[in-house]
Amino acid sequence: MDLWGCSAVVTGAASGMGAETARFLVDAGAKVSLIDIDGDGVHRLADEIGGLAIACDVADARSTEQALATARQAHGAARVLVHCVGRGHSEPIFGPAGPLPLEDFRQLVEVNLISTFNVMRLAAADMAALPQMANGERGVILFTASVSAYEGQSGEAAYSASKGGVVSMILPAARELGPLGIRVVGIAPGLFGTQTLFAMEKNLDSRLVHQIPFPHRFGDPAEFAMLVLHVLKNVMVNGTVLRLDGGYHR
């Protein structure tokens, strides 16, 4: 896909991998709408890079419809959706305080899984109405999963379940939307230096990075953004989840 002049939407764009992805897309010539529940943060970044800031809770159907309508009015229907919204915390199923509050599980599913399906269904409807590009493509939907979807650790049952649901959607969604010229792809980051990691790994220390075969460090959000751009430009990448973890298996 040629990104020059292309309309793109990045959710979770106020910080971390979403913010870096928005920067890379703007640098590639895309017209980028930045969506995040953190209105102040997303406006600061939009002012910095020249994007359109939209404050929105993407787990809420009406709010997301309005946000995408605002983006569509400014830039046209998006051919690119990169969904980087995510929340994580490590909490036992049963601990000293008793069973995990059901509301904590529900919130993780709401933020990580329901928001993913919500933005996909709305973006796909817009993409399906777009004219085909030269190669028959209409758009790309890219989700952020996690290696915890495959190898969740003790205390990550809720988080792993929410990200596992994201992974499970990708292939059937690609099969359903492929005839319309829409690709669906996931990226599963490992240990990246983001707020989500720091929220989950309360006792984070340098020993953790030595479990990564190479390189022995946390991932840089720019490395996530680089892979996003490759996926967008390589039409053969579809219906799969790409691990981005330096060979890290827990």
Side-chain angles (χ1 to χ4, degrees), residues 173-200:
R175 286 172 168 161
E176 181 177 341
L177 299 177
L180 300 173
I182 300 170
R183 292 188 285 131
V184 184
V185 181
I187 296 177
L191 297 173
F192 271 66
T194 65
Q195 293 175 355
T196 299
L197 175 65
F198 299 142
M200 292 185 65

mmCIF file of all heavy atoms in Angstrom, residues 173-200:
data_model
loop_
_atom_site.group_PDB
_atom_site.id
_atom_site.type_symbol
_atom_site.label_atom_id
_atom_site.label_comp_id
_atom_site.label_asym_id
_atom_site.label_seq_id
_atom_site.Cartn_x
_atom_site.Cartn_y
_atom_site.Cartn_z
ATOM 1 N N ALA A 173 -11.422 -13.152 10.784
ATOM 2 C CA ALA A 173 -11.703 -11.823 10.235
ATOM 3 C C ALA A 173 -11.037 -11.647 8.873
ATOM 4 O O ALA A 173 -11.626 -11.083 7.940
ATOM 5 C CB ALA A 173 -11.222 -10.746 11.205
ATOM 6 N N ALA A 174 -9.796 -12.133 8.740
ATOM 7 C CA ALA A 174 -9.101 -12.036 7.452
ATOM 8 C C ALA A 174 -9.824 -12.841 6.377
ATOM 9 O O ALA A 174 -9.905 -12.418 5.215
ATOM 10 C CB ALA A 174 -7.655 -12.517 7.603
ATOM 11 N N ARG A 175 -10.344 -13.999 6.758
ATOM 12 C CA ARG A 175 -11.082 -14.821 5.794
ATOM 13 C C ARG A 175 -12.383 -14.145 5.360
ATOM 14 O O ARG A 175 -12.783 -14.211 4.197
ATOM 15 C CB ARG A 175 -11.371 -16.185 6.405
ATOM 16 C CG ARG A 175 -10.146 -17.079 6.488
ATOM 17 C CD ARG A 175 -10.410 -18.353 7.258
ATOM 18 N NE ARG A 175 -9.310 -19.314 7.087
ATOM 19 C CZ ARG A 175 -9.077 -20.341 7.882
ATOM 20 N NH1 ARG A 175 -9.871 -20.552 8.940
ATOM 21 N NH2 ARG A 175 -8.075 -21.162 7.637
ATOM 22 N N GLU A 176 -13.030 -13.504 6.298
ATOM 23 C CA GLU A 176 -14.307 -12.851 5.987
ATOM 24 C C GLU A 176 -14.122 -11.580 5.179
ATOM 25 O O GLU A 176 -14.887 -11.307 4.242
ATOM 26 C CB GLU A 176 -15.045 -12.535 7.290
ATOM 27 C CG GLU A 176 -16.393 -11.874 7.087
ATOM 28 C CD GLU A 176 -17.134 -11.643 8.390
ATOM 29 O OE1 GLU A 176 -16.790 -12.309 9.407
ATOM 30 O OE2 GLU A 176 -18.049 -10.810 8.412
ATOM 31 N N LEU A 177 -13.095 -10.804 5.523
ATOM 32 C CA LEU A 177 -12.910 -9.499 4.891
ATOM 33 C C LEU A 177 -12.003 -9.554 3.665
ATOM 34 O O LEU A 177 -11.990 -8.614 2.868
ATOM 35 C CB LEU A 177 -12.347 -8.508 5.912
ATOM 36 C CG LEU A 177 -13.232 -8.257 7.146
ATOM 37 C CD1 LEU A 177 -12.533 -7.327 8.122
ATOM 38 C CD2 LEU A 177 -14.588 -7.690 6.741
ATOM 39 N N GLY A 178 -11.266 -10.641 3.501
ATOM 40 C CA GLY A 178 -10.375 -10.769 2.352
ATOM 41 C C GLY A 178 -11.055 -10.576 1.005
ATOM 42 O O GLY A 178 -10.512 -9.875 0.138
ATOM 43 N N PRO A 179 -12.231 -11.180 0.778
ATOM 44 C CA PRO A 179 -12.896 -10.970 -0.510
ATOM 45 C C PRO A 179 -13.236 -9.515 -0.797
ATOM 46 O O PRO A 179 -13.484 -9.149 -1.948
ATOM 47 C CB PRO A 179 -14.171 -11.829 -0.383
ATOM 48 C CG PRO A 179 -13.807 -12.902 0.600
ATOM 49 C CD PRO A 179 -12.904 -12.216 1.582
ATOM 50 N N LEU A 180 -13.248 -8.683 0.237
ATOM 51 C CA LEU A 180 -13.506 -7.251 0.058
ATOM 52 C C LEU A 180 -12.214 -6.465 -0.167
ATOM 53 O O LEU A 180 -12.255 -5.240 -0.318
ATOM 54 C CB LEU A 180 -14.221 -6.697 1.297
ATOM 55 C CG LEU A 180 -15.569 -7.334 1.636
ATOM 56 C CD1 LEU A 180 -16.083 -6.813 2.978
ATOM 57 C CD2 LEU A 180 -16.579 -7.057 0.533
ATOM 58 N N GLY A 181 -11.078 -7.162 -0.143
ATOM 59 C CA GLY A 181 -9.803 -6.481 -0.322
ATOM 60 C C GLY A 181 -9.266 -5.866 0.951
ATOM 61 O O GLY A 181 -8.470 -4.927 0.905
ATOM 62 N N ILE A 182 -9.689 -6.407 2.095
ATOM 63 C CA ILE A 182 -9.254 -5.886 3.392
ATOM 64 C C ILE A 182 -8.411 -6.943 4.096
ATOM 65 O O ILE A 182 -8.868 -8.078 4.290
ATOM 66 C CB ILE A 182 -10.454 -5.515 4.272
ATOM 67 C CG1 ILE A 182 -11.302 -4.440 3.584
ATOM 68 C CG2 ILE A 182 -9.991 -5.030 5.647
ATOM 69 C CD1 ILE A 182 -12.638 -4.184 4.258
ATOM 70 N N ARG A 183 -7.190 -6.592 4.477
ATOM 71 C CA ARG A 183 -6.324 -7.505 5.223
ATOM 72 C C ARG A 183 -6.472 -7.273 6.723
ATOM 73 O O ARG A 183 -6.722 -6.152 7.159
ATOM 74 C CB ARG A 183 -4.853 -7.297 4.832
ATOM 75 C CG ARG A 183 -4.522 -7.724 3.421
ATOM 76 C CD ARG A 183 -3.036 -7.671 3.151
ATOM 77 N NE ARG A 183 -2.526 -6.322 2.972
ATOM 78 C CZ ARG A 183 -1.459 -5.812 3.571
ATOM 79 N NH1 ARG A 183 -0.777 -6.558 4.439
ATOM 80 N NH2 ARG A 183 -1.043 -4.585 3.338
ATOM 81 N N VAL A 184 -6.297 -8.342 7.494
ATOM 82 C CA VAL A 184 -6.333 -8.255 8.958
ATOM 83 C C VAL A 184 -5.095 -8.964 9.497
ATOM 84 O O VAL A 184 -4.873 -10.136 9.194
ATOM 85 C CB VAL A 184 -7.601 -8.900 9.543
ATOM 86 C CG1 VAL A 184 -7.644 -8.707 11.061
ATOM 87 C CG2 VAL A 184 -8.862 -8.320 8.896
ATOM 88 N N VAL A 185 -4.305 -8.252 10.275
ATOM 89 C CA VAL A 185 -3.012 -8.753 10.751
ATOM 90 C C VAL A 185 -2.848 -8.368 12.223
ATOM 91 O O VAL A 185 -3.368 -7.339 12.671
ATOM 92 C CB VAL A 185 -1.852 -8.155 9.926
ATOM 93 C CG1 VAL A 185 -0.498 -8.686 10.408
ATOM 94 C CG2 VAL A 185 -2.037 -8.453 8.436
ATOM 95 N N GLY A 186 -2.135 -9.195 12.973
ATOM 96 C CA GLY A 186 -1.818 -8.864 14.355
ATOM 97 C C GLY A 186 -0.320 -8.827 14.581
ATOM 98 O O GLY A 186 0.444 -9.513 13.904
ATOM 99 N N ILE A 187 0.099 -8.011 15.528
ATOM 100 C CA ILE A 187 1.482 -8.009 16.009
ATOM 101 C C ILE A 187 1.431 -8.321 17.502
ATOM 102 O O ILE A 187 0.664 -7.710 18.249
ATOM 103 C CB ILE A 187 2.182 -6.664 15.768
ATOM 104 C CG1 ILE A 187 2.298 -6.380 14.264
ATOM 105 C CG2 ILE A 187 3.576 -6.655 16.411
ATOM 106 C CD1 ILE A 187 2.906 -5.025 13.934
ATOM 107 N N ALA A 188 2.251 -9.286 17.919
ATOM 108 C CA ALA A 188 2.306 -9.681 19.330
ATOM 109 C C ALA A 188 3.647 -9.247 19.908
ATOM 110 O O ALA A 188 4.642 -9.960 19.786
ATOM 111 C CB ALA A 188 2.119 -11.184 19.473
ATOM 112 N N PRO A 189 3.701 -8.076 20.544
ATOM 113 C CA PRO A 189 4.963 -7.634 21.134
ATOM 114 C C PRO A 189 5.327 -8.465 22.356
ATOM 115 O O PRO A 189 4.463 -8.989 23.061
ATOM 116 C CB PRO A 189 4.672 -6.178 21.532
ATOM 117 C CG PRO A 189 3.395 -5.808 20.844
ATOM 118 C CD PRO A 189 2.641 -7.079 20.693
ATOM 119 N N GLY A 190 6.626 -8.550 22.612
ATOM 120 C CA GLY A 190 7.111 -9.155 23.845
ATOM 121 C C GLY A 190 7.312 -8.084 24.893
ATOM 122 O O GLY A 190 6.390 -7.328 25.214
ATOM 123 N N LEU A 191 8.524 -7.980 25.433
ATOM 124 C CA LEU A 191 8.822 -7.006 26.487
ATOM 125 C C LEU A 191 9.217 -5.669 25.852
ATOM 126 O O LEU A 191 10.339 -5.488 25.398
ATOM 127 C CB LEU A 191 9.953 -7.521 27.376
ATOM 128 C CG LEU A 191 9.647 -8.810 28.145
ATOM 129 C CD1 LEU A 191 10.891 -9.308 28.860
ATOM 130 C CD2 LEU A 191 8.522 -8.574 29.145
ATOM 131 N N PHE A 192 8.263 -4.766 25.806
ATOM 132 C CA PHE A 192 8.497 -3.435 25.257
ATOM 133 C C PHE A 192 8.413 -2.411 26.379
ATOM 134 O O PHE A 192 7.583 -2.549 27.295
ATOM 135 C CB PHE A 192 7.486 -3.105 24.160
ATOM 136 C CG PHE A 192 7.927 -3.530 22.790
ATOM 137 C CD1 PHE A 192 8.072 -4.870 22.486
ATOM 138 C CD2 PHE A 192 8.228 -2.595 21.813
ATOM 139 C CE1 PHE A 192 8.506 -5.278 21.238
ATOM 140 C CE2 PHE A 192 8.661 -2.991 20.553
ATOM 141 C CZ PHE A 192 8.800 -4.336 20.263
ATOM 142 N N GLY A 193 9.234 -1.391 26.292
ATOM 143 C CA GLY A 193 9.276 -0.371 27.332
ATOM 144 C C GLY A 193 8.101 0.578 27.241
ATOM 145 O O GLY A 193 8.242 1.728 26.816
ATOM 146 N N THR A 194 6.922 0.110 27.644
ATOM 147 C CA THR A 194 5.697 0.903 27.593
ATOM 148 C C THR A 194 5.019 0.907 28.961
ATOM 149 O O THR A 194 5.346 0.125 29.852
ATOM 150 C CB THR A 194 4.715 0.323 26.559
ATOM 151 O OG1 THR A 194 4.298 -0.979 26.998
ATOM 152 C CG2 THR A 194 5.357 0.222 25.179
ATOM 153 N N GLN A 195 4.023 1.759 29.092
ATOM 154 C CA GLN A 195 3.279 1.855 30.350
ATOM 155 C C GLN A 195 2.590 0.535 30.689
ATOM 156 O O GLN A 195 2.467 0.172 31.862
ATOM 157 C CB GLN A 195 2.254 2.982 30.260
ATOM 158 C CG GLN A 195 2.868 4.365 30.170
ATOM 159 C CD GLN A 195 1.838 5.458 29.966
ATOM 160 O OE1 GLN A 195 0.654 5.195 29.806
ATOM 161 N NE2 GLN A 195 2.295 6.702 29.958
ATOM 162 N N THR A 196 2.131 -0.197 29.679
ATOM 163 C CA THR A 196 1.453 -1.468 29.930
ATOM 164 C C THR A 196 2.402 -2.460 30.597
ATOM 165 O O THR A 196 2.033 -3.137 31.566
ATOM 166 C CB THR A 196 0.912 -2.058 28.619
ATOM 167 O OG1 THR A 196 -0.027 -1.137 28.052
ATOM 168 C CG2 THR A 196 0.224 -3.392 28.861
ATOM 169 N N LEU A 197 3.625 -2.562 30.087
ATOM 170 C CA LEU A 197 4.600 -3.474 30.697
ATOM 171 C C LEU A 197 4.900 -3.069 32.131
ATOM 172 O O LEU A 197 4.925 -3.902 33.039
ATOM 173 C CB LEU A 197 5.897 -3.487 29.884
ATOM 174 C CG LEU A 197 7.041 -4.309 30.500
ATOM 175 C CD1 LEU A 197 6.688 -5.786 30.550
ATOM 176 C CD2 LEU A 197 8.333 -4.094 29.738
ATOM 177 N N PHE A 198 5.116 -1.783 32.344
ATOM 178 C CA PHE A 198 5.478 -1.329 33.688
ATOM 179 C C PHE A 198 4.330 -1.534 34.674
ATOM 180 O O PHE A 198 4.550 -1.755 35.856
ATOM 181 C CB PHE A 198 5.904 0.141 33.652
ATOM 182 C CG PHE A 198 7.102 0.387 32.771
ATOM 183 C CD1 PHE A 198 7.190 1.523 31.989
ATOM 184 C CD2 PHE A 198 8.138 -0.531 32.722
ATOM 185 C CE1 PHE A 198 8.288 1.748 31.177
ATOM 186 C CE2 PHE A 198 9.242 -0.317 31.909
ATOM 187 C CZ PHE A 198 9.315 0.822 31.136
ATOM 188 N N ALA A 199 3.081 -1.485 34.172
ATOM 189 C CA ALA A 199 1.928 -1.726 35.042
ATOM 190 C C ALA A 199 1.836 -3.193 35.431
ATOM 191 O O ALA A 199 1.416 -3.538 36.534
ATOM 192 C CB ALA A 199 0.645 -1.289 34.342
ATOM 193 N N MET A 200 2.242 -4.093 34.530
ATOM 194 C CA MET A 200 2.125 -5.533 34.789
ATOM 195 C C MET A 200 3.308 -6.068 35.583
ATOM 196 O O MET A 200 3.151 -6.917 36.449
ATOM 197 C CB MET A 200 2.015 -6.295 33.461
ATOM 198 C CG MET A 200 0.733 -6.038 32.717
ATOM 199 S SD MET A 200 0.600 -7.068 31.258
ATOM 200 C CE MET A 200 0.503 -8.691 31.976
#
